[in-house]
Protein backbone atom coordinates (compact mmCIF):
# COMPACT_ATOMS: atom_id res chain seq x y z
CA UNK A 1 0.00 0.00 0.00
CA UNK A 2 1.15 3.50 -0.78
CA UNK A 3 1.99 5.44 2.34
CA UNK A 4 1.65 9.18 1.83
CA UNK A 5 4.33 10.08 4.34
CA UNK A 6 7.02 8.21 2.48
CA UNK A 7 9.28 10.35 0.30
CA UNK A 8 8.05 10.42 -3.27
CA UNK A 9 10.24 9.06 -6.02
CA UNK A 10 9.75 9.28 -9.79
CA UNK A 11 11.68 8.03 -12.80
CA UNK A 12 11.24 7.13 -16.45
CA UNK A 13 12.77 5.02 -19.20
CA UNK A 14 12.43 5.36 -22.97
CA UNK A 15 10.93 2.64 -25.17
CA UNK A 16 13.52 3.33 -27.87
CA UNK A 17 14.54 -0.29 -28.33
CA UNK A 18 13.08 -3.74 -27.78
CA UNK A 19 15.33 -4.52 -24.85
CA UNK A 20 16.83 -2.66 -21.92
CA UNK A 21 20.59 -2.99 -21.58
CA UNK A 22 22.76 -3.62 -18.54
CA UNK A 23 23.42 0.12 -18.14
CA UNK A 24 19.68 0.81 -17.82
CA UNK A 25 19.27 -1.97 -15.32
CA UNK A 26 22.33 -1.33 -13.12
CA UNK A 27 22.22 2.46 -13.44
CA UNK A 28 18.50 2.92 -12.92
CA UNK A 29 15.92 0.11 -12.82
CA UNK A 30 17.62 -1.89 -10.05
CA UNK A 31 17.35 1.14 -7.76
CA UNK A 32 13.71 1.62 -8.75
CA UNK A 33 12.87 -1.82 -7.55
CA UNK A 34 14.66 -1.30 -4.20
CA UNK A 35 13.01 2.10 -3.68
CA UNK A 36 9.44 0.86 -4.01
CA UNK A 37 9.91 -0.63 -0.52
CA UNK A 38 10.84 2.66 1.10
CA UNK A 39 9.27 5.31 -1.11
CA UNK A 40 5.97 6.32 -2.64
CA UNK A 41 7.22 5.39 -6.10
CA UNK A 42 6.06 6.42 -9.60
CA UNK A 43 7.73 4.81 -12.62
CA UNK A 44 6.83 5.35 -16.23
CA UNK A 45 7.72 4.39 -19.77
CA UNK A 46 8.35 7.72 -21.50
CA UNK A 47 6.79 7.09 -24.88
CA UNK A 48 6.30 10.83 -25.52
CA UNK A 49 10.04 11.28 -25.17
CA UNK A 50 10.73 8.40 -27.55
CA UNK A 51 9.17 10.22 -30.53
CA UNK A 52 11.72 13.05 -30.32
CA UNK A 53 13.50 10.66 -32.67
CA UNK A 54 11.42 9.17 -35.48
CA UNK A 55 9.75 5.89 -34.53
CA UNK A 56 7.84 3.40 -36.62
CA UNK A 57 4.34 3.26 -34.97
CA UNK A 58 4.00 -0.54 -34.74
CA UNK A 59 7.52 -0.80 -33.43
CA UNK A 60 6.88 1.90 -30.83
CA UNK A 61 3.76 0.07 -29.62
CA UNK A 62 5.70 -3.19 -29.35
CA UNK A 63 8.67 -1.55 -27.64
CA UNK A 64 6.40 0.22 -25.16
CA UNK A 65 4.71 -3.03 -24.08
CA UNK A 66 8.11 -4.68 -23.98
CA UNK A 67 9.47 -1.89 -21.76
CA UNK A 68 6.54 -2.20 -19.34
CA UNK A 69 6.91 -6.00 -19.26
CA UNK A 70 10.62 -5.64 -18.47
CA UNK A 71 9.91 -3.25 -15.60
CA UNK A 72 7.54 -5.79 -14.10
CA UNK A 73 10.04 -8.61 -14.72
CA UNK A 74 12.72 -6.54 -12.96
CA UNK A 75 10.62 -6.67 -9.82
CA UNK A 76 8.39 -3.58 -9.95
CA UNK A 77 5.13 -4.53 -8.33
CA UNK A 78 1.96 -2.58 -9.26
CA UNK A 79 0.72 -3.18 -5.71
CA UNK A 80 3.73 -1.39 -4.27
CA UNK A 81 4.39 1.34 -6.83
CA UNK A 82 2.61 3.18 -9.64
CA UNK A 83 3.64 2.00 -13.13
CA UNK A 84 2.26 3.81 -16.18
CA UNK A 85 2.86 5.20 -19.64
CA UNK A 86 3.70 8.88 -20.02
CA UNK A 87 1.22 9.39 -22.90
CA UNK A 88 -1.64 8.22 -20.65
CA UNK A 89 -1.25 11.29 -18.43
CA UNK A 90 -1.86 14.40 -20.58
CA UNK A 91 -1.05 16.72 -17.65
CA UNK A 92 2.69 16.19 -18.34
CA UNK A 93 2.51 18.00 -21.68
CA UNK A 94 0.21 20.67 -20.25
CA UNK A 95 2.71 21.55 -17.53
CA UNK A 96 5.51 21.31 -20.04
CA UNK A 97 4.22 24.38 -21.90
CA UNK A 98 4.52 26.45 -18.72
CA UNK A 99 8.06 25.13 -18.22
CA UNK A 100 8.95 26.07 -21.81
CA UNK A 101 7.77 29.58 -21.07
CA UNK A 102 9.86 30.04 -17.92
CA UNK A 103 13.03 28.34 -19.19
CA UNK A 104 15.61 30.44 -21.00
CA UNK A 105 16.57 29.57 -24.57
CA UNK A 106 20.26 29.73 -23.62
CA UNK A 107 19.64 27.54 -20.61
CA UNK A 108 17.98 24.89 -22.77
CA UNK A 109 20.74 25.19 -25.37
CA UNK A 110 23.32 24.09 -22.82
CA UNK A 111 21.87 20.58 -22.39
CA UNK A 112 24.67 18.23 -23.40
CA UNK A 113 22.38 15.31 -24.26
CA UNK A 114 20.68 17.51 -26.86
CA UNK A 115 24.03 18.65 -28.21
CA UNK A 116 25.29 15.05 -28.52
CA UNK A 117 22.14 13.65 -30.08
CA UNK A 118 21.59 16.55 -32.49
CA UNK A 119 25.24 16.47 -33.56
CA UNK A 120 24.82 12.80 -34.46
CA UNK A 121 21.73 13.49 -36.58
CA UNK A 122 22.53 16.82 -38.17
CA UNK A 123 20.33 19.92 -37.72
CA UNK A 124 17.86 19.15 -40.54
CA UNK A 125 16.91 15.84 -38.99
CA UNK A 126 16.84 17.16 -35.41
CA UNK A 127 13.29 17.79 -34.19
CA UNK A 128 12.22 20.78 -32.10
CA UNK A 129 10.90 18.17 -29.65
CA UNK A 130 14.42 16.90 -29.05
CA UNK A 131 15.35 20.44 -28.03
CA UNK A 132 12.38 20.92 -25.68
CA UNK A 133 12.59 17.35 -24.34
CA UNK A 134 14.30 18.36 -21.06
CA UNK A 135 11.34 20.63 -20.24
CA UNK A 136 8.94 17.74 -20.63
CA UNK A 137 11.21 15.79 -18.29
CA UNK A 138 11.14 18.70 -15.82
CA UNK A 139 7.33 18.52 -15.91
CA UNK A 140 7.35 14.72 -15.49
CA UNK A 141 9.18 15.19 -12.22
CA UNK A 142 7.52 18.32 -10.83
CA UNK A 143 3.98 17.21 -11.54
CA UNK A 144 4.38 14.38 -9.00
CA UNK A 145 6.11 16.60 -6.40
CA UNK A 146 8.96 14.06 -6.45
CA UNK A 147 11.56 14.29 -3.69
CA UNK A 148 14.07 12.05 -5.43
CA UNK A 149 14.81 10.98 -9.00
CA UNK A 150 16.88 7.79 -9.44
CA UNK A 151 18.78 7.99 -12.75
CA UNK A 152 22.21 7.36 -14.26
CA UNK A 153 24.88 10.05 -14.37
CA UNK A 154 23.91 11.12 -17.93
CA UNK A 155 20.69 12.62 -16.54
CA UNK A 156 22.25 14.77 -13.80
CA UNK A 157 22.10 17.96 -15.88
CA UNK A 158 18.37 17.49 -16.52
CA UNK A 159 17.73 17.13 -12.79
CA UNK A 160 19.71 20.33 -12.15
CA UNK A 161 17.50 22.09 -14.71
CA UNK A 162 14.44 20.70 -12.92
CA UNK A 163 15.66 22.10 -9.61
CA UNK A 164 16.35 25.51 -11.15
CA UNK A 165 12.95 25.76 -12.81
CA UNK A 166 11.11 24.56 -9.69
CA UNK A 167 12.85 27.29 -7.68
CA UNK A 168 12.18 29.90 -10.37
CA UNK A 169 8.49 29.06 -10.54
CA UNK A 170 8.14 28.95 -6.75
CA UNK A 171 9.77 32.34 -6.27
CA UNK A 172 7.96 33.97 -9.18
CA UNK A 173 4.43 32.68 -8.56
CA UNK A 174 4.46 31.20 -5.03
CA UNK A 175 5.33 27.69 -3.96
CA UNK A 176 3.79 25.03 -6.16
CA UNK A 177 6.59 22.46 -6.55
CA UNK A 178 8.89 20.29 -4.46
CA UNK A 179 12.54 20.82 -5.44
CA UNK A 180 13.81 17.30 -6.19
CA UNK A 181 17.20 15.69 -5.50
CA UNK A 182 19.01 13.43 -7.96
CA UNK A 183 19.60 9.90 -6.66
CA UNK A 184 22.63 8.55 -8.48
CA UNK A 185 24.47 5.49 -7.19
CA UNK A 186 28.17 6.13 -7.65
CA UNK A 187 29.32 2.62 -8.49
CA UNK A 188 26.80 2.01 -11.27
CA UNK A 189 26.23 5.60 -12.39
CA UNK A 190 27.78 4.79 -15.74
CA UNK A 191 28.21 1.38 -17.33
CA UNK A 192 30.43 1.70 -20.38
CA UNK A 193 30.21 0.33 -23.90
CA UNK A 194 32.06 -3.01 -24.14
CA UNK A 195 33.71 -2.02 -27.42
CA UNK A 196 34.51 1.56 -26.43
CA UNK A 197 34.83 2.01 -22.67
CA UNK A 198 35.14 5.78 -23.10
CA UNK A 199 31.40 6.12 -23.88
CA UNK A 200 28.33 4.97 -21.93
CA UNK A 201 26.50 1.81 -22.92
CA UNK A 202 23.53 3.22 -24.84
CA UNK A 203 20.56 1.90 -26.79
CA UNK A 204 21.56 4.19 -29.63
CA UNK A 205 25.24 3.12 -29.66
CA UNK A 206 27.01 2.92 -32.98
CA UNK A 207 27.72 -0.81 -32.68
CA UNK A 208 25.43 -3.39 -31.05
CA UNK A 209 28.53 -5.37 -30.05
CA UNK A 210 29.15 -2.97 -27.19
CA UNK A 211 25.72 -3.41 -25.56
CA UNK A 212 24.52 -6.25 -23.36
CA UNK A 213 20.79 -6.41 -23.97
CA UNK A 214 18.82 -8.02 -21.17
CA UNK A 215 16.62 -9.92 -23.64
CA UNK A 216 19.47 -11.24 -25.80
CA UNK A 217 20.15 -14.99 -26.00
CA UNK A 218 22.85 -15.97 -23.45
CA UNK A 219 25.08 -17.09 -26.32
CA UNK A 220 24.93 -13.63 -27.87
CA UNK A 221 25.79 -11.88 -24.58
CA UNK A 222 28.61 -14.35 -23.88
CA UNK A 223 30.13 -13.60 -27.28
CA UNK A 224 29.95 -9.86 -26.64
CA UNK A 225 31.55 -10.22 -23.21
CA UNK A 226 34.31 -12.41 -24.60
CA UNK A 227 35.11 -9.90 -27.32
CA UNK A 228 34.93 -6.90 -24.97
CA UNK A 229 37.86 -4.55 -25.43
CA UNK A 230 40.39 -5.11 -22.67
CA UNK A 231 43.49 -3.23 -21.72
CA UNK A 232 47.22 -3.83 -22.04
CA UNK A 233 48.75 -6.10 -19.40
CA UNK A 234 46.99 -9.09 -17.91
CA UNK A 235 46.37 -8.12 -14.31
CA UNK A 236 42.76 -7.94 -13.08
CA UNK A 237 42.66 -4.69 -11.18
CA UNK A 238 40.11 -1.85 -10.89
CA UNK A 239 41.71 1.24 -12.43
CA UNK A 240 39.41 3.40 -14.54
CA UNK A 241 42.29 5.44 -16.00
CA UNK A 242 44.67 2.67 -16.99
CA UNK A 243 42.22 -0.21 -17.33
CA UNK A 244 38.79 1.15 -18.31
CA UNK A 245 37.70 -2.08 -20.06
CA UNK A 246 38.48 -4.43 -17.17
CA UNK A 247 37.15 -1.92 -14.61
CA UNK A 248 33.83 -1.85 -16.45
CA UNK A 249 33.60 -5.66 -16.41
CA UNK A 250 34.46 -5.65 -12.69
CA UNK A 251 31.70 -3.12 -11.96
CA UNK A 252 29.14 -5.26 -13.77
CA UNK A 253 30.35 -8.43 -12.04
CA UNK A 254 30.43 -6.81 -8.63
CA UNK A 255 26.93 -5.32 -8.80
CA UNK A 256 25.22 -8.37 -10.31
CA UNK A 257 26.67 -10.63 -7.60
CA UNK A 258 26.81 -8.16 -4.67
CA UNK A 259 30.53 -8.87 -4.27
CA UNK A 260 33.00 -6.08 -3.54
CA UNK A 261 35.53 -5.13 -6.21
CA UNK A 262 38.37 -5.78 -3.70
CA UNK A 263 37.16 -9.35 -3.20
CA UNK A 264 37.00 -9.89 -6.97
CA UNK A 265 40.54 -8.57 -7.37
CA UNK A 266 41.75 -11.13 -4.80
CA UNK A 267 39.72 -13.93 -6.34
CA UNK A 268 41.18 -13.30 -9.81
CA UNK A 269 44.77 -12.71 -8.74
CA UNK A 270 47.11 -14.53 -11.13
CA UNK A 271 44.21 -15.44 -13.46
CA UNK A 272 43.86 -13.96 -16.95
CA UNK A 273 41.18 -11.80 -18.56
CA UNK A 274 39.71 -14.93 -20.17
CA UNK A 275 38.74 -16.45 -16.82
CA UNK A 276 36.99 -13.27 -15.73
CA UNK A 277 35.10 -13.03 -19.02
CA UNK A 278 33.98 -16.67 -18.92
CA UNK A 279 32.67 -16.33 -15.37
CA UNK A 280 30.97 -13.02 -16.09
CA UNK A 281 29.23 -14.52 -19.14
CA UNK A 282 27.76 -17.21 -16.90
CA UNK A 283 26.66 -14.70 -14.27
CA UNK A 284 24.92 -12.56 -16.88
CA UNK A 285 23.27 -15.65 -18.41
CA UNK A 286 22.07 -16.88 -15.00
CA UNK A 287 20.56 -13.49 -14.24
CA UNK A 288 19.12 -12.80 -17.68
CA UNK A 289 17.53 -16.24 -18.27
CA UNK A 290 14.80 -15.94 -15.61
CA UNK A 291 14.40 -12.24 -16.46
CA UNK A 292 13.65 -13.11 -20.10
CA UNK A 293 11.13 -15.74 -19.06
CA UNK A 294 9.29 -13.38 -16.74
CA UNK A 295 9.21 -10.69 -19.45
CA UNK A 296 7.79 -13.17 -21.94
CA UNK A 297 5.02 -14.19 -19.53
CA UNK A 298 3.82 -10.58 -19.33
CA UNK A 299 4.06 -10.20 -23.10
CA UNK A 300 2.03 -13.35 -23.66
CA UNK A 301 -0.90 -11.70 -21.88
CA UNK A 302 -1.20 -8.18 -23.33
CA UNK A 303 -4.71 -7.66 -21.94
CA UNK A 304 -3.54 -8.03 -18.36
CA UNK A 305 -0.51 -5.87 -19.08
CA UNK A 306 -2.65 -3.10 -20.61
CA UNK A 307 -5.08 -3.22 -17.74
CA UNK A 308 -2.24 -2.89 -15.19
CA UNK A 309 -1.04 0.15 -17.11
CA UNK A 310 -4.53 1.65 -17.20
CA UNK A 311 -4.80 1.34 -13.41
CA UNK A 312 -1.35 2.89 -13.02
CA UNK A 313 -2.36 5.82 -15.24
CA UNK A 314 -5.47 6.43 -13.18
CA UNK A 315 -3.44 6.66 -9.96
CA UNK A 316 -0.84 8.86 -11.64
CA UNK A 317 -3.47 11.20 -13.11
CA UNK A 318 -5.10 11.85 -9.76
CA UNK A 319 -1.80 13.27 -8.45
CA UNK A 320 -0.85 15.03 -11.70
CA UNK A 321 -4.21 16.78 -12.10
CA UNK A 322 -3.98 18.29 -8.64
CA UNK A 323 -0.50 19.75 -9.23
CA UNK A 324 -1.49 21.07 -12.66
CA UNK A 325 -4.57 22.82 -11.27
CA UNK A 326 -2.40 24.51 -8.68
CA UNK A 327 0.20 25.59 -11.24
CA UNK A 328 -2.48 26.92 -13.65
CA UNK A 329 -3.99 28.95 -10.86
CA UNK A 330 -0.64 30.41 -9.76
CA UNK A 331 0.25 31.40 -13.32
CA UNK A 332 -3.05 33.31 -13.57
CA UNK A 333 -5.26 31.13 -15.77
CA UNK A 334 -8.97 31.42 -15.01
CA UNK A 335 -10.67 28.21 -13.91
CA UNK A 336 -12.50 26.42 -16.74
CA UNK A 337 -15.61 25.78 -14.61
CA UNK A 338 -17.16 26.74 -11.31
P1 LIG B 1 19.17 6.26 -25.57
O1 LIG B 1 20.50 5.74 -26.04
O2 LIG B 1 18.01 5.96 -26.49
O3 LIG B 1 19.22 7.67 -25.08
P2 LIG B 1 19.61 5.05 -23.05
O4 LIG B 1 20.25 3.74 -23.27
O5 LIG B 1 20.46 6.19 -22.60
O6 LIG B 1 18.79 5.40 -24.31
P3 LIG B 1 17.34 5.81 -21.40
O7 LIG B 1 16.00 5.28 -21.62
O8 LIG B 1 17.63 7.19 -21.88
O9 LIG B 1 18.44 4.82 -22.02
O10 LIG B 1 17.72 5.72 -19.87
C1 LIG B 1 17.03 5.03 -18.85
C2 LIG B 1 17.82 5.10 -17.57
O11 LIG B 1 19.02 4.34 -17.70
C3 LIG B 1 18.27 6.51 -17.19
O12 LIG B 1 18.11 6.70 -15.81
C4 LIG B 1 19.71 6.56 -17.56
O13 LIG B 1 20.44 7.45 -16.76
C5 LIG B 1 20.14 5.12 -17.29
N1 LIG B 1 21.27 4.74 -18.12
C6 LIG B 1 21.30 4.70 -19.47
N2 LIG B 1 22.50 4.28 -19.91
C7 LIG B 1 23.25 4.03 -18.79
C8 LIG B 1 24.58 3.56 -18.57
N3 LIG B 1 25.37 3.24 -19.58
N4 LIG B 1 25.03 3.42 -17.30
C9 LIG B 1 24.22 3.74 -16.25
N5 LIG B 1 22.95 4.19 -16.39
C10 LIG B 1 22.47 4.34 -17.63
N1 LIG C 1 15.38 11.67 -19.97
C1 LIG C 1 15.45 10.37 -19.36
C2 LIG C 1 14.11 9.67 -19.29
C3 LIG C 1 13.13 10.44 -18.51
C4 LIG C 1 13.12 10.61 -17.10
C5 LIG C 1 11.98 11.43 -16.82
C6 LIG C 1 13.93 10.15 -16.06
C7 LIG C 1 12.09 11.16 -19.00
N2 LIG C 1 11.39 11.73 -17.99
C8 LIG C 1 11.69 11.82 -15.52
C9 LIG C 1 13.61 10.55 -14.77
C10 LIG C 1 12.51 11.36 -14.50
C11 LIG C 1 16.43 9.53 -20.15
O1 LIG C 1 16.69 9.81 -21.27
N3 LIG C 1 16.92 8.53 -19.55
Amino acid sequence: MVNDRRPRVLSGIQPTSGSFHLGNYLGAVRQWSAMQETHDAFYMVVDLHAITIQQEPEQLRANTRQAAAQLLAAGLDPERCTIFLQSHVPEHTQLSWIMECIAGFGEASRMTQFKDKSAKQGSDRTSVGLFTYPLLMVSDILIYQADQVPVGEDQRQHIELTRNLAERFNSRYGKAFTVPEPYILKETAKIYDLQDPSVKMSKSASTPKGIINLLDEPKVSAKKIKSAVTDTGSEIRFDEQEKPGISNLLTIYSTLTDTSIAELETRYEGKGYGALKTDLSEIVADWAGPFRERTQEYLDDPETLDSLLAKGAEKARSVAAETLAQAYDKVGFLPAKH
Side-chain angles (χ1 to χ4, degrees):
M1 267 311 284
V2 167
N3 175 343
D4 277 345
R5 273 167 305 174
R6 289 175 169 197
R8 176 85 46 85
V9 73
L10 170 120
S11 202
I13 188 159
Q14 301 201 56
T16 38
S17 105
S19 175
F20 295 162
H21 56 71
L22 264 182
N24 298 140
Y25 179 68
L26 297 176
V29 178
R30 208 165 100 118
Q31 279 68 260
W32 298 10
S33 151
M35 290 174 103
Q36 67 185 343
E37 312 301 341
T38 47
H39 288 67
D40 178 15
F42 287 72
Y43 301 124
M44 63 182 164
V45 178
V46 293
D47 49 358
L48 296 175
H49 273 123
I51 66 160
T52 52
I53 288 169
Q54 198 179 336
Q55 304 286 336
E56 204 282 305
E58 275 317 311
Q59 194 64 54
L60 178 62
R61 247 186 291 278
N63 287 348
T64 304
R65 281 215 181 88
Q66 219 144 305
Q70 288 176 86
L71 291 181
L72 296 164
L76 300 193
D77 175 358
E79 295 293 318
R80 274 136 72 219
C81 67
T82 306
I83 305 180
F84 62 101
L85 306 182
Q86 189 185 27
S87 64
H88 287 179
V89 184
E91 287 80 4
H92 293 224
T93 38
Q94 290 176 281
L95 182 61
S96 179
W97 176 250
I98 297 180
M99 293 302 146
E100 286 182 35
C101 293
I102 67 167
F105 185 78
E107 193 173 33
S109 309
R110 285 192 290 275
M111 295 297 117
T112 55
Q113 191 180 52
F114 170 76
K115 287 198 253 183
D116 293 348
K117 289 196 177 179
S118 59
K120 267 196 209 159
Q121 301 176 74
S123 68
D124 282 347
R125 292 188 52 221
T126 298
S127 66
V128 175
L130 189 68
F131 181 71
T132 56
Y133 161 126
L135 301 159
L136 178 56
M137 176 162 166
V138 166
S139 310
D140 295 339
I141 298 169
L142 297 185
I143 208 151
Y144 296 101
Q145 308 285 4
D147 298 292
Q148 283 172 344
V149 189
V151 284
E153 184 62 44
D154 59 314
Q155 297 300 313
R156 187 187 290 278
Q157 199 187 20
H158 293 157
I159 314 288
E160 269 314 307
L161 178 69
T162 309
R163 292 172 54 82
N164 291 339
L165 291 181
E167 278 164 2
R168 191 172 308 158
F169 186 103
N170 288 348
S171 71
R172 194 177 289 176
Y173 298 110
K175 187 168 179 348
F177 300 118
T178 303
V179 181
E181 298 283 343
Y183 179 93
I184 302 174
L185 281 196
K186 221 167 125 225
E187 311 78 59
T188 53
K190 211 168 183 181
I191 302 295
Y192 296 90
D193 187 289
L194 298 186
Q195 288 299 312
D196 178 1
S198 69
V199 300
K200 72 159 196 160
M201 190 178 282
S202 159
K203 294 193 208 97
S204 43
S206 48
T207 153
K209 279 174 74 186
I211 316 166
I212 300 289
N213 284 316
L214 305 185
L215 297 179
D216 274 352
E217 293 280 344
K219 268 191 297 192
V220 175
S221 301
K223 206 167 159 205
K224 289 181 182 174
I225 293 170
K226 285 184 185 144
S227 57
V229 167
T230 40
D231 319 289
T232 48
S234 59
E235 198 192 349
I236 295 176
R237 176 166 55 83
F238 189 87
D239 179 342
E240 284 188 305
Q241 299 303 317
E242 299 291 320
K243 290 175 167 279
I246 285 296
S247 301
N248 190 35
L249 297 183
L250 283 171
T251 304
I252 296 171
Y253 195 138
S254 148
T255 38
L256 277 181
T257 58
D258 280 321
T259 315
S260 73
I261 301 261
E263 193 179 329
L264 292 178
E265 285 173 335
T266 315
R267 197 183 294 169
Y268 284 93
E269 213 176 312
K271 296 189 182 161
Y273 292 162
L276 177 77
K277 288 177 165 182
T278 304
D279 292 352
L280 182 58
S281 305
E282 259 178 49
I283 287 158
V284 169
D286 288 349
W287 183 86
F291 176 83
R292 284 173 57 208
E293 277 169 30
R294 288 194 298 274
T295 304
Q296 196 52 50
E297 282 168 23
Y298 288 110
L299 290 173
D300 287 342
D301 186 0
E303 269 185 34
T304 305
L305 185 62
D306 290 357
S307 116
L308 284 177
L309 293 172
K311 281 194 198 122
E314 205 181 308
K315 268 169 48 188
R317 273 200 90 172
S318 68
V319 177
E322 198 180 316
T323 311
L324 184 73
Q326 236 190 79
Y328 266 30
D329 179 56
K330 297 229 182 262
V331 164
F333 295 151
L334 284 172
K337 54 178 180 238
H338 279 286

